[in-house]
Amino acid sequence: MNSVSCIINCGGSVSVDFILSTMVFLMVLTSLAALVEDRMDSAKDAEELGTGRMMVEYVAETVDSVYSGGNGHSAVITLPPSINGDPYTITLMSGAVFMDVHGLRGQATMFPGAISGNEFKMYSSRSYNISNIQKSENYSEIVVKEIK
């Protein structure tokens, strides 16, 4: 008996086997789809962190440059509107720059100079003037002001 006539004339035993094997195949396919989706989310998070890391490094390098330039040295930076479509904040502290984006946090170290007010928050789509201001003969601090 050939396979086509057996499907028609075997009394349904081949049909049950076919249904079971189709169900197993669909279950495996569904689990693979979930695994691929999880990997895609991980890749998106890695891309956000990479882009955020570059932004944090840029801010830290700018602050280091201003601090190294001495009294009166300043620079203006403009932050992009988002990182991969997500809003973010940057926090300047003495010795470090932190970025928070989509529940993730990145950090870059910088020269441990004094930041006016000990901490300064920067927001996306805004411009900032970063200046080195001498407070006394042997002491200067970094002052960050938003440009409106």
Side-chain angles (χ1 to χ4, degrees):
M1 203 184 286
N2 66 26
S3 61
V4 173
S5 64
C6 183
I7 290 174
I8 296 170
N9 297 325
C10 286
S13 65
V14 174
S15 297
V16 171
D17 290 341
F18 178 73
I19 290 172
L20 286 175
S21 62
T22 302
M23 286 177 48
V24 168
F25 175 74
L26 289 175
M27 289 181 359
V28 168
L29 188 64
T30 303
S31 64
L32 284 175
L35 181 64
V36 167
E37 181 182 3
D38 185 47
R39 295 290 181 180
M40 294 294 285
D41 288 343
S42 296
K44 184 179 183 281
D45 288 346
E47 181 182 3
E48 283 181 347
L49 284 176
T51 305
R53 177 66 184 214
M54 289 185 337
M55 178 57 56
V56 153
E57 289 289 338
Y58 169 68
V59 171
E61 287 174 10
T62 303
V63 171
D64 282 341
S65 171
V66 167
Y67 190 80
S68 298
N71 182 33
H73 191 79
S74 67
V76 174
I77 61 171
T78 300
L79 300 178
S82 65
I83 293 181
N84 297 333
D86 291 321
Y88 63 92
T89 59
I90 294 177
T91 305
L92 291 175
M93 300 175 85
S94 179
V97 179
F98 297 96
M99 172 180 276
D100 296 300
V101 59
H102 194 65
L104 304 170
R105 176 168 255 206
Q107 174 186 356
T109 57
M110 62 181 187
F111 188 81
I115 302 292
S116 179
N118 296 325
E119 179 178 304
F120 187 84
K121 286 210 180 274
M122 303 170 83
Y123 300 95
S124 56
S125 298
R126 298 184 186 176
S127 295
Y128 297 91
N129 184 356
I130 302 171
S131 303
N132 186 342
I133 306 296
Q134 188 168 1
K135 294 294 184 175
S136 67
E137 186 176 329
N138 295 324
Y139 177 75
S140 64
E141 68 181 13
I142 300 297
V143 176
V144 184
K145 293 182 181 176
E146 183 179 351
I147 300 171
K148 296 189 181 213

